Amino acid sequence: MKVLITRKIPGEFVERLKNAGFEVDLWNRDCPMGRQYLLERVVGVDALLSLLTDKIDAELMDKAGPSLKIISNYAVGFDNIDLDEAKKRGIVVTNTPSKEVNEAVAEHTWALILALSRRIVEADEATRRGGYYGWDPDIFLGRSLVGKTLGIIGLGNIGTMVARRAKGYEMNVIYNKHNPDPEAEKELEVKFASLDELLSTSDFISLHVPLTEETRGLINKETLGKMKRGSYLVNTARGPIVCEQDLAEALRTGVLAGAALDVFENEPNINPELLAMENVILTPHIASSTWEARLKMTDQAVSAILDFFSGKTPENVVRG
């Protein structure tokens, strides 16, 4: 049996697969496998360990042929995979959600909130450029979090962890999702709000929804126009949820005081206007980038393949 791994990932995984009898074809580089290479090397594989940057569509499944039985996606998301095509062909698709990943993303979200509110990146860059001349009561004034309102769009596992951490900063937390969650409200001391209410009253808005046709472009000129003037936006979910051109305009005109993005509308390309803005923090899709999270993901992705071919149902099967 043969498995194609489309990118070098952390941890000891090659030996596990080889010891189970797999021939391992690994793209052992620190860059994505190009589309043409992927189409060439997927031919005849029994298993594919893919990354979110790989487009797994009908063309690729045709190239792989009937031998392909499982796609183990090294990601929590799976919008890179055509689930309908996989289901039609009887191909099992798995992903790698875990507490470790959720914790990492929640932590990164808070790192961005704090960096925005206290202008950490701006201050660091100014200091490195030689702009520190001694203590000054009027430079890089930030915003205290105490008493401010945090609006969470999507109160799933990660959104819940973000809300839980807000208690320590004595923030008021409101959330929006399809249906109110009374249990979460009681446990976390949060309140349900309509999307319009959340946008208009939140000082900080954090996105934690999956990318679907409903959420694609959710943050656009119209919704940005409803946001509280001087508020901040944080996105550690999926890039296409935010229309970057509309965001840039809202920042330029002062509707928003700042934004922090870990994901982008057209990765790895970023709107040039956002790149030039001092009140914007940009990180390269690293919200889940901790050793604990990445090693857990490796274990899950490899275990899914091993379990499948040993006759077990993998832990995280994606239901299309």
Side-chain angles (χ1 to χ4, degrees):
M1 293 182 294
K2 184 176 181 181
V3 56
L4 172 62
I5 303 175
T6 64
R7 189 82 169 264
K8 183 173 68 174
I9 55 179
E12 301 297 326
F13 57 93
V14 174
E15 289 306 314
R16 283 184 67 193
L17 289 163
K18 285 184 175 179
N19 290 340
F22 280 92
E23 175 189 345
V24 178
D25 181 7
L26 169 65
W27 180 256
N28 195 22
R29 301 189 189 180
D30 293 318
C31 63
M33 182 186 288
R35 178 69 176 179
Q36 196 54 46
Y37 281 111
L38 182 55
L39 291 175
E40 290 173 4
R41 292 169 73 160
V42 78
V43 175
V45 302
D46 300 279
L48 175 64
L49 199 162
S50 57
L51 272 71
L52 197 62
T53 48
D54 303 314
K55 184 179 180 182
I56 312 299
D57 55 9
E59 180 188 24
L60 184 137
M61 294 179 205
D62 283 340
K63 285 287 186 181
S67 63
L68 181 59
K69 296 295 188 296
I70 181 170
I71 299 167
S72 180
N73 210 39
Y74 186 87
V76 176
F78 41 83
D79 43 277
N80 60 313
I81 300 174
D82 189 329
L83 295 179
D84 290 335
E85 281 293 333
K87 185 176 181 180
K88 196 186 304 181
R89 299 160 192 256
I91 301 171
V92 171
V93 177
T94 64
N95 64 339
T96 57
S98 69
K99 184 182 180 219
E100 289 84 352
V101 169
N102 296 339
E103 291 280 5
V105 177
E107 288 173 1
H108 194 74
T109 298
W110 272 104
L112 294 177
I113 290 173
L114 290 165
L116 275 176
S117 66
R118 297 305 304 273
R119 302 174 66 181
I120 299 295
V121 175
E122 290 178 75
D124 175 80
E125 290 178 348
T127 303
R128 292 174 187 275
R129 289 196 305 265
Y132 177 55
Y133 305 107
W135 186 84
D136 185 332
D138 198 34
I139 60 170
F140 294 111
L141 294 175
R143 302 281 181 85
S144 173
L145 298 180
V146 175
K148 300 299 193 298
T149 297
L150 171 63
I152 298 175
I153 300 179
L155 196 70
N157 290 326
I158 296 171
T160 296
M161 290 180 176
V162 171
R164 186 171 288 118
R165 286 160 172 75
K167 284 184 178 181
Y169 294 101
E170 300 180 30
M171 297 186 79
N172 304 310
V173 181
I174 58 178
Y175 75 97
N176 177 263
K177 60 186 297 189
H178 281 299
N179 298 301
D181 188 339
E183 289 187 14
E185 291 174 16
K186 184 177 180 181
E187 177 195 349
L188 303 171
E189 299 177 15
V190 300
K191 293 182 180 179
F192 177 82
S194 68
L195 183 59
D196 283 355
E197 181 186 354
L198 185 147
L199 293 171
S200 64
T201 60
S202 297
D203 299 290
F204 294 82
I205 292 177
S206 191
L207 304 177
H208 299 287
V209 290
L211 179 62
T212 65
E213 287 311 306
E214 181 182 2
T215 62
R216 186 181 295 274
L218 175 67
I219 304 301
N220 54 40
K221 187 170 185 176
E222 180 183 357
T223 50
L224 285 162
K226 295 177 180 179
M227 289 177 64
K228 183 177 181 179
R229 191 168 188 85
S231 57
Y232 299 85
L233 178 71
V234 177
N235 186 14
T236 56
R238 284 289 178 264
I241 295 169
V242 177
C243 297
E244 289 183 6
Q245 190 59 48
D246 295 342
L247 174 62
E249 182 181 351
L251 288 160
R252 188 184 344 108
T253 57
V255 173
L256 267 64
L261 309 177
D262 182 59
V263 287
F264 306 97
E265 189 174 6
N266 299 296
E267 293 186 14
N269 302 311
I270 304 171
N271 183 291
E273 194 170 358
L274 294 177
L275 288 169
M277 290 180 167
E278 292 184 349
N279 58 341
V280 176
I281 298 173
L282 308 169
T283 56
H285 204 146
I286 58 169
S288 64
S289 189
T290 64
W291 278 106
E292 292 84 355
R294 289 287 189 256
L295 292 174
K296 179 68 174 180
M297 291 168 70
T298 297
D299 178 64
Q300 289 175 301
V302 172
S303 293
I305 294 171
L306 297 178
D307 286 346
F308 178 83
F309 285 103
S310 66
K312 300 176 186 175
T313 301
E315 180 184 6
N316 298 304
V317 175
V318 175
R319 308 294 178 185

